[in-house]
């Protein structure tokens, strides 16, 4: 679904004031230096933080409207978020992590096979590499079948070869399910490679 965002929030050193739209099934990348509010934007879209003022609409649904007093909780937003620091449950196997909150119990298997981590299904996150953990985190997010996928510098900690490989896997799966994607990155080359539009 199309995502329309117009938000303002007072941060420690400046006032965040942004407005942008991301078309249905498109990929939008937000680029900016550290501390410029990129992660805050994603957190507000996801419902993990509140805007001081603004409106967020996804398709015909209003997720946030500060004037009308609307702020849908996270669980009602059909949104998944991939963080930079591999948010997997340490006590669950890779497979059980990917299955967590999956809407279709067959989808995690397909995703893990597509991302080349099915053979790691019984491993714990601490026993696999950083690239493999991030593949699992992306699979976990996609298994929820979100209408909006938010990605907060998900590949920045990976080596160039692994990063390029994950770009390919992500684009291939995005072509199939076409969620609307908003991705934060500081890497201009990554933004150009993945995104239809850059903010």
């Amino acid at each position: 679904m199309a995502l329309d965002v117009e938000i303002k929030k007072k941060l420690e050193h400046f006032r965040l004031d942004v407005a942008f739209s991301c078309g249905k099934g498109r990929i939008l990348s937000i680029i900016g230096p550290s501390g410029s509010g990129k992660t805050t934007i994603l957190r507000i879209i996801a419902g993990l933080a509140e805007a001081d003022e603004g409106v967020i609409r996804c398709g015909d649904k209003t997720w946030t409207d500060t004037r009308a007093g609307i702020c849908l909780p996270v669980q009602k937003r059909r949104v998944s978020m991939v963080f930079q620091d591999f948010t997997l449950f340490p006590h669950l196997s890779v497979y059980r992590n990917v299955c967590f909150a999956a809407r279709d119990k067959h989808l995690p298997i397909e995703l893990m096979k597509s991302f080349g981590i099915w053979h790691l299904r019984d491993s714990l996150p601490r026993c696999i590499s950083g690239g493999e953990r991030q593949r699992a985190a992306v699979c976990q997010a996609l298994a929820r079948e979100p209408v909006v996928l938010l990605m907060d510098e998900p590949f920045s900690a990976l080596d160039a070869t692994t990063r390029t490989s994950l770009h390919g896997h992500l684009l291939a799966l995005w072509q199939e399910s076409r969620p609307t994607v908003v991705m934060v990155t500081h890497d201009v080359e990554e933004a150009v490679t993945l995104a239809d539009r850059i903010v």
Side-chain angles (χ1 to χ4, degrees):
M1 294 186 184
L3 182 69
D4 297 297
V5 177
E6 186 174 351
I7 51 175
K8 297 179 182 179
K9 186 171 180 67
K10 178 76 169 67
L11 301 179
E12 187 175 355
H13 299 295
F14 66 97
R15 182 175 174 80
L16 183 66
D17 186 347
V18 294
F20 60 84
S21 295
C22 183
K24 179 181 179 181
R26 312 301 287 182
I27 300 177
L28 179 139
S29 183
I30 301 174
I31 296 179
S34 295
S36 61
K38 303 185 302 296
T39 297
T40 299
I41 294 169
L42 294 190
R43 288 178 58 81
I44 291 172
I45 294 171
L48 298 172
E50 291 187 16
D52 296 334
E53 301 175 47
V55 177
I56 300 171
R57 292 192 178 92
C58 183
D60 59 358
K61 291 189 176 180
T62 300
W63 286 358
T64 296
D65 186 335
T66 54
R67 287 189 177 180
I70 297 170
C71 186
L72 282 187
V74 180
Q75 61 269 25
K76 293 189 176 180
R77 293 193 184 209
R78 286 291 303 277
V79 62
S80 285
M81 189 162 174
V82 181
F83 296 90
Q84 183 178 356
D85 52 355
F86 319 131
T87 52
L88 299 175
F89 298 106
H91 62 291
L92 296 181
S93 68
V94 172
Y95 175 68
R96 290 180 65 198
N97 263 287
V98 175
C99 284
F100 187 81
R103 298 165 64 85
D104 175 350
K105 296 306 178 183
H106 299 289
L107 184 57
I109 298 171
E110 297 172 22
L111 289 168
M112 291 177 71
K113 287 180 177 178
S114 294
F115 270 80
I117 58 170
W118 178 241
H119 65 289
L120 301 171
R121 58 190 175 275
D122 296 322
S123 301
L124 292 175
R126 68 172 181 272
C127 299
I128 62 178
S129 71
E132 290 163 343
R133 286 197 298 273
Q134 197 60 314
R135 288 175 195 228
V138 173
C139 289
Q140 182 189 65
L142 290 171
R144 295 174 185 155
E145 298 180 70
V147 295
V148 176
L149 176 63
L150 305 174
M151 307 185 80
D152 188 8
E153 301 202 35
F155 310 123
S156 63
L158 306 177
D159 63 83
T161 302
T162 303
R163 193 161 56 241
T164 300
S165 172
L166 285 181
H167 290 168
H169 287 300
L170 178 65
L171 285 174
L173 284 170
W174 171 77
Q175 289 283 356
E176 292 178 17
S177 57
R178 288 279 180 164
T180 299
V181 179
V182 180
M183 181 185 72
V184 158
T185 182
H186 63 270
D187 186 331
V188 175
E189 184 177 343
E190 181 173 76
V192 170
T193 299
L194 295 176
D196 302 302
R197 186 169 170 233
I198 298 173
V199 173

